[in-house]
Amino acid sequence: MGLYNEEVYNKANINNRNFLDDYILELKSRGLSEGTIKQYKNDLRGYICWIYNNQNDMFLLDLKRRDFRNFILYLQEMELSNARINRFQSSIRGALEYALLDDDDYPEYIQNPMARIKSLDSKAVVKEVVFLEDKQVTFLLNYLLKSKQYQKALYLSLSYDSCGRRSEIYSVTKDGFLTEGVYKTLPVKGKGGKVFPLHYSNTTKDIAKLYLEARGNDSVDSLWINERGKEKRQISKNMLYLHAVSLRSILEAEYNKDIPMTSHSIRHFGLQNYQDGTHSALKFMGKDKLELDMLKILAHHSNISTTEGYLKNVDNDLLDDLFQG
């Protein structure tokens, strides 16, 4: 049975097609095989066509549990095998889990309705969390500054200092960075409709000065623009993701191993290093480290348990200390 139709897909909701492009980019960054990525892509393109024909071309992330259940019932009525239906479920569930976990891109998405729909094989894709040490972040910043990649350096430094989500970082404008004594951005919109500025250290401010001086005068308000060509314009949010992924090759050349960091990784290791007392911005703050309640505020989390989930699990280390003999 073929759900995918090229003509239909090209007319389908642009938000669904953009979401699929984002997800495929994420799968590539995880190092999945071309065959596996093709499977996910084919399944999801077919489902997007089905949404166009049967669910008023709604945005995938606006669909409810009953909508996904109706699709599964349709597949059963078409007498597909359980294995084939489970594959569809797995593809859709994985895409929704990506939207749920990566609150950089989809901050309003707070629940995966597919999580409660059982299947014969409900294994979820596990996303590896990368924690860089402060000295590794410093190495990256020095490398980028030495090679005059100021925009990437600013993106990394601002993300590392503020622990902001990528969607929040993307919303930052260039205004205010050159104001003496000010170490925060203009307010941005965060998850759940919250509005707040992102705070940063003197390191980020110094990099911003280098970047804006090299950038020169233009009429684009966004902090992030294309750096090639005569006409300056804001880059896509995907480009910030690619900025982060591009750092992997620099790390691999220096440390002789693949460190699969993404834009969301920066949020994890930023918070972790603040807690460990190793974050370079702590000296600027005059602090030895940040406690969990302050990390919650910095991350703009509604629940402290969410903040805990961003940090390393040290339970086994604590037990080792108790039973040293």
Side-chain angles (χ1 to χ4, degrees):
M1 181 202 67
L3 293 175
Y4 174 71
N5 178 284
E6 184 175 0
E7 182 179 353
V8 171
Y9 184 79
N10 290 334
K11 294 189 295 184
N13 192 323
I14 186 63
N15 292 321
N16 286 333
R17 288 182 281 148
N18 287 341
F19 172 77
L20 178 55
D21 290 341
D22 284 348
Y23 184 49
I24 295 303
L25 190 67
E26 166 69 11
L27 296 181
K28 289 179 179 178
S29 77
R30 295 181 195 174
L32 272 64
S33 69
E34 290 185 7
T36 300
I37 293 174
K38 183 178 180 180
Q39 170 189 311
Y40 284 125
K41 184 176 182 179
N42 289 342
D43 288 346
L44 292 167
R45 288 199 306 179
Y47 184 47
I48 288 172
C49 289
W50 194 84
I51 294 173
Y52 178 89
N53 289 321
N54 298 277
Q55 293 179 320
N56 298 318
D57 201 25
M58 291 179 62
F59 182 30
L60 181 63
L61 300 186
D62 289 335
L63 296 175
K64 307 300 182 184
R65 181 173 179 266
R66 64 177 179 275
D67 299 315
F68 296 106
R69 186 59 186 160
N70 287 340
F71 176 63
I72 294 168
L73 290 173
Y74 168 80
L75 298 180
Q76 290 174 327
E77 291 173 358
M78 297 301 294
E79 298 184 349
L80 267 67
S81 67
N82 287 342
R84 185 68 183 90
I85 294 173
N86 285 343
R87 202 184 88 172
F88 263 114
Q89 285 185 262
S90 179
S91 296
I92 298 170
R93 186 185 292 111
L96 299 182
E97 194 67 10
Y98 154 69
L100 179 65
L101 295 178
D102 194 345
D103 53 8
D104 290 320
D105 264 342
Y106 305 99
E108 304 298 332
Y109 201 66
I110 59 175
Q111 186 176 10
N112 181 352
M114 282 289 290
R116 294 184 294 153
I117 299 178
K118 295 182 179 180
S119 61
L120 297 178
D121 181 11
S122 58
K123 293 180 181 178
V125 176
V126 178
K127 187 175 182 179
E128 181 180 358
V129 177
V130 171
F131 293 94
L132 292 188
E133 298 177 8
D134 185 80
K135 64 180 182 181
Q136 293 174 305
V137 179
T138 300
F139 161 74
L140 284 172
L141 288 175
N142 288 337
Y143 180 96
L144 294 171
L145 291 174
K146 186 177 180 180
S147 57
K148 297 185 178 180
Q149 299 181 62
Y150 297 133
Q151 184 174 138
K152 284 186 182 181
L154 180 56
Y155 167 66
L156 174 60
S157 189
L158 178 58
S159 299
Y160 184 50
D161 279 355
S162 69
C163 298
R165 302 174 177 90
R166 176 159 48 107
S167 58
E168 296 161 2
I169 300 293
Y170 181 70
S171 301
V172 174
T173 65
K174 63 184 180 183
D175 294 334
F177 276 92
L178 300 183
T179 304
E180 291 298 326
V182 176
Y183 294 91
K184 62 181 180 180
T185 69
L186 295 179
V188 299
K189 185 177 180 181
K191 193 167 186 177
K194 298 178 183 177
V195 178
F196 47 80
L198 299 175
H199 291 77
Y200 52 84
S201 72
N202 56 333
T203 298
T204 295
K205 195 172 192 69
D206 290 342
I207 295 173
K209 290 178 181 178
L210 289 173
Y211 166 61
L212 292 172
E213 181 180 353
R215 173 172 161 174
N217 295 322
D218 59 67
S219 59
V220 182
D221 290 332
S222 174
L223 191 59
W224 317 110
I225 63 170
N226 63 312
E227 297 183 285
R228 295 181 180 179
K230 295 181 179 180
E231 183 181 351
K232 302 301 182 184
R233 54 181 174 77
Q234 184 179 19
I235 60 175
S236 70
K237 191 161 51 179
N238 268 348
M239 284 303 300
L240 292 188
Y241 185 96
L242 294 175
H243 280 352
V245 172
S246 71
L247 302 178
R248 292 171 57 172
S249 60
I250 303 173
L251 289 169
E252 185 174 9
E254 176 68 13
Y255 298 101
N256 198 30
K257 63 178 180 178
D258 180 32
I259 303 176
M261 68 169 287
T262 66
S263 55
H264 200 60
S265 303
I266 306 173
R267 188 163 160 85
H268 282 272
F269 61 69
L271 292 170
Q272 182 66 47
N273 293 347
Y274 275 125
Q275 185 191 56
D276 289 346
T278 60
H279 199 299
S280 54
L282 289 167
K283 183 178 180 180
F284 171 76
M285 298 174 181
K287 299 289 186 181
D288 293 328
K289 63 179 182 178
L290 299 185
E291 301 296 340
L292 189 60
D293 57 346
M294 183 55 67
L295 294 179
K296 171 182 173 291
I297 296 172
L298 178 64
H300 297 281
H301 285 148
S302 299
N303 193 305
I304 204 164
S305 62
T306 304
T307 311
E308 291 176 316
Y310 273 75
L311 305 173
K312 291 180 180 178
N313 188 326
V314 296
D315 290 351
N316 289 331
D317 294 336
L318 294 174
L319 289 174
D320 288 343
D321 290 340
L322 289 174
F323 292 91
Q324 286 184 349

